Each structure stands twice: as structure tokens, then as C-alpha cells.
């Protein structure tokens, strides 16, 4: 009998230790919901080629070069190229008939010669369409210390995460909504604020991450463990008008056990009559909206189902937290 009593006491002691350890490992963050703007410098990407009109007719200065759409221009001769403006400035300074481009392709550097021709207006040209930045809107997911997590999914081009040199985080103001319908996605239409509130540091499959310099006074909430997320009622925080964060009802209808990052771990359904009336369900710009269940941050909206905009997916908040602290 004494042995049984001792075993019960020992079991209770172990259980107490286990509970205390779990409590000590709890993570608390400030949930977001704010509409944000993303200004990302991607590097100087070649997106097309064209024939240049000169006083001697049309010319293709790139014709004998080893250049492909999707390459990034790193250097002209020995000069670093940071953006479109610097590329044009370098070409004007050279005042030469050809140069050497250092381009990046599949993370490998390649050097190739290219002609420089004068346009009808006597401007230097290499006949390449290039872009150096990307603008977009989304939703702030959460803040931990001085770092932010947002979007709930990566930003891709040609099925690859985009290249990022640097980026700015701003607020955005939702001015109108394009309502979602069956087989056609809706979207938030917003203007980006000029004031920078943070810097984008990295883009991963689970979201966009960086540092934030805007102080927010919000109550912190716990990030739920993956196994604690249940098929039940929940809410999301998001903006559908101006910059006011509102709360809307959803239902978690499916959860997947995962042992590695995947942006579709939670399946959700919009049940809020106001949100359905205004947006038709989940729309572009809503990505990153935090999902709260039983007072805990369980996930972040990541995708919509096109054939039924009431249904969407979310990434577990725990995955985003781990990516945030490890970038």
C-alpha cells in the first residue's frame, strides 16, 4: 500500500514538473491585423528585350550576348548595379560602344559582353526591359520583441521565392474592396503610406519577416502549440475599411498534423455575415490576418480556395514564430 501511495505522489510530482516546464516555454506575442504595404527592392531583373530605334535604324544590342529573361544584372564592367537608376547612370558615364555585364542566374555569376547603342534622343541603351522593385499589400501577423511576421506565405516568381536586396514596411489604407465570387478572387484596394515603419529582412515559404520600429501598445497573447489547435469557432483580425482592425468570425474545419513548415496546415471557413457581405470571403490582402482561438494565436491566413472563397487555409503561428526568430 505504501508503494502505491509513493508511486501516486511521484507521478503527481512528475506531472507538476511537466506542466511547469511547458508553462515556462510559452511564447507571447502582440497580434497584428493592420493593413500593411510591402516595398521590396528585388535587384535589377531582366524581364524582356526590345529593338532600339537609332539614327541608323533598329538595333538589337543584346543579340550576341548570353542573356536570358529572369537574369539579374549585378555589375556593368566593375561597377555595382543596385537599381534601374544606377544602371542608367553607369551607362551614361561609360560613353562606350560595349560593356561587360555580370549577371546572376540560378545563384551563379556569368559575364557576357553587350553592345551599348544611342537612341534617337542620344540616350545610351542596351535594349533590355528591367525591373528593380515590387509593391504589394498584406496584413501584419504578429510582433515579437522588435521583429514582425506577416503575410503567411512567401512571395514567388516563376515558382521561386523572389530575390530581395532590401525592403520597407509601411502601413496601407484600404480604400475599396473587390468582392470575391466563385472562381474569381477578390482583393483589398489600398494606398501605401509614405512613412516607413520597419525593414523587410527575409522572405520565406511561411511569410515575410523583418524588424519594426513602430511601437504598439497591445496586450500580448500566447502562441498555441500545433496539437492544441482544434476544429471549432475562432476569429480573425483584419482591415476591410481604412486602417481599422476589426474582428470577424470563422470556423476551423480541419487541422493537419505537421512536423515541418507548410503554409496549409489549417483549413478555415468564413462564417461572419458582415465579412461575407463586404468581401465574399477571403480575398487578396487578407493574407497574414491572425487567427485567434480561445484567446491564443493559433494561425495566420495564407490562401483562399478559388472555387469557394468562403474556404481558405492558414499556416500554424508556431511555424511563423520559429522562422521569425531564426532568420
Amino acid at each position: 500500500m505504501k508503494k502505491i501511495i509513493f508511486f501516486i505522489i511521484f507521478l503527481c510530482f512528475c506531472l507538476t514538473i511537466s506542466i511547469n516546464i511547458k508553462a515556462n516555454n510559452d511564447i507571447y506575442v502582440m497580434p497584428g491585423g493592420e493593413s500593411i504595404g510591402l516595398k521590396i527592392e528585388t535587384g535589377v531583373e531582366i524581364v524582356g528585350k526590345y529593338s532600339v530605334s537609332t539614327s541608323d535604324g533598329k538595333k538589337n544590342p543584346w543579340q550576341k550576348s548570353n542573356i536570358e529573361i529572369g537574369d539579374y544584372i549585378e555589375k556593368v564592367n566593375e561597377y555595382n548595379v543596385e537599381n534601374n537608376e544606377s544602371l542608367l547612370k553607369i551607362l551614361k558615364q561609360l560613353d562606350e560602344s560595349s560593356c561587360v555585364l555580370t549577371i546572376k542566374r540560378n545563384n551563379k555569376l556569368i559575364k557576357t559582353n553587350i553592345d551599348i547603342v544611342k537612341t534617337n534622343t542620344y540616350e545610351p541603351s542596351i535594349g533590355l526591359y528591367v525591373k528593380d522593385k515590387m509593391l504589394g499589400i498584406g496584413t501584419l501577423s504578429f510582433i515579437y520583441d522588435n521583429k514582425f511576421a506577416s503575410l503567411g506565405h512567401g512571395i514567388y516568381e516563376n515558382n521561386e521565392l523572389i530575390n530581395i536586396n532590401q525592403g520597407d514596411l509601411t502601413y496601407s489604407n484600404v480604400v475599396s474592396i473587390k468582392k470575391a465570387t466563385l472562381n474569381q478572387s477578390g482583393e483589398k484596394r489600398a494606398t501605401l503610406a509614405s512613412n516607413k515603419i520597419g525593414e523587410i529582412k527575409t522572405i520565406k515559404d511561411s511569410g515575410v519577416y523583418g524588424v519594426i520600429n513602430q511601437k504598439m501598445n497591445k496586450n500580448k497573447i500566447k502562441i498555441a502549440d500545433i496539437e492544441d489547435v482544434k476544429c471549432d469557432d475562432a476569429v480573425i483580425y483584419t482591415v476591410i475599411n481604412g486602417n481599422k482592425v476589426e474582428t470577424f468570425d470563422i470556423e476551423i474545419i480541419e487541422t493537419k498534423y505537421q512536423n515541418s513548415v507548410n503554409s496549409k496546415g489549417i483549413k478555415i471557413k468564413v462564417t461572419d455575415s458582415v465579412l461575407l457581405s463586404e468581401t465574399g470571403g477571403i480575398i487578396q490582402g487578407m493574407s497574414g490576418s491572425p487567427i485567434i482561438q480561445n484567446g491564443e494565436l493559433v494561425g495566420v491566413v495564407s490562401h483562399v480556395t478559388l472555387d469557394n472563397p468562403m474556404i481558405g487555409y492558414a499556416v500554424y503561428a508556431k511555424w511563423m514564430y520559429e522562422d521569425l526568430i531564426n532568420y
Side-chain angles (χ1 to χ4, degrees), residues 138-158:
T139 303
L140 184 68
S141 302
F142 61 86
I143 296 171
Y144 179 77
D145 288 341
N146 67 330
K147 293 184 176 183
F148 74 86
S150 65
L151 222 57
H153 60 72
I155 303 175
Y156 302 88
E157 195 167 60
N158 300 322

Side-chain angles (χ1 to χ4, degrees), residues 73-83 86-87 90:
I73 301 175
E74 299 288 317
K75 290 185 177 182
V76 174
N77 291 348
E78 73 275 21
Y79 301 104
N80 291 326
V81 176
E82 297 176 354
N83 49 41
S86 68
L87 174 61
I90 293 167

Side-chain angles (χ1 to χ4, degrees), residues 15 32 39 60 78 86 108 138 291 311 319 322:
L15 183 61
K39 301 178 180 179
N60 298 325
E78 73 275 21
S86 68
K108 293 182 180 179
I291 300 173
I311 305 295
W319 291 141
E322 291 182 4

Side-chain angles (χ1 to χ4, degrees), residues 167-231:
D168 294 339
L169 184 77
T170 71
Y171 285 126
S172 62
N173 189 68
V174 178
V175 295
S176 65
I177 297 287
K178 176 189 173 185
K179 191 172 179 178
T181 57
L182 293 180
N183 299 314
Q184 187 167 358
S185 62
E187 63 179 351
K188 296 182 184 182
R189 291 168 175 160
T191 57
L192 275 61
S194 57
N195 294 336
K196 184 173 80 170
I197 62 170
E199 295 180 9
I200 298 167
K201 295 297 186 181
T202 188
I203 298 174
K204 299 187 177 184
D205 289 328
S206 64
V208 178
Y209 303 92
V211 296
I212 191 163
N213 52 33
Q214 182 80 11
K215 289 191 175 181
M216 295 186 181
N217 294 317
K218 288 185 172 184
N219 293 328
K220 294 182 178 181
I221 62 174
K222 178 186 167 186
I223 290 183
D225 291 324
I226 290 174
E227 60 269 22
D228 292 336
V229 183
K230 307 300 181 185
C231 291

Side-chain angles (χ1 to χ4, degrees), residues 52 54 59-61 96-97 115-119 123-127:
V52 182
T54 74
K59 295 185 178 181
N60 298 325
E96 297 175 6
S97 60
D115 292 336
I116 304 174
V117 299
K118 295 287 187 181
T119 68
E123 293 291 327
S125 174
I126 52 179

Side-chain angles (χ1 to χ4, degrees), residues 1-45:
M1 185 66 180
K2 289 182 179 180
K3 288 183 179 181
I4 294 174
I5 293 173
F6 175 79
F7 176 74
I8 293 172
I9 293 172
F10 177 75
L11 184 64
C12 292
F13 176 71
C14 291
L15 183 61
T16 302
I17 291 176
S18 175
I19 292 171
N20 286 336
I21 290 173
K22 187 172 182 180
N24 290 335
N25 288 333
D26 287 346
I27 302 150
Y28 288 83
V29 299
M30 281 190 287
E34 291 81 2
S35 185
I36 54 171
L38 307 165
K39 301 178 180 179
I40 301 170
E41 291 191 11
T42 59
V44 180
E45 182 186 5

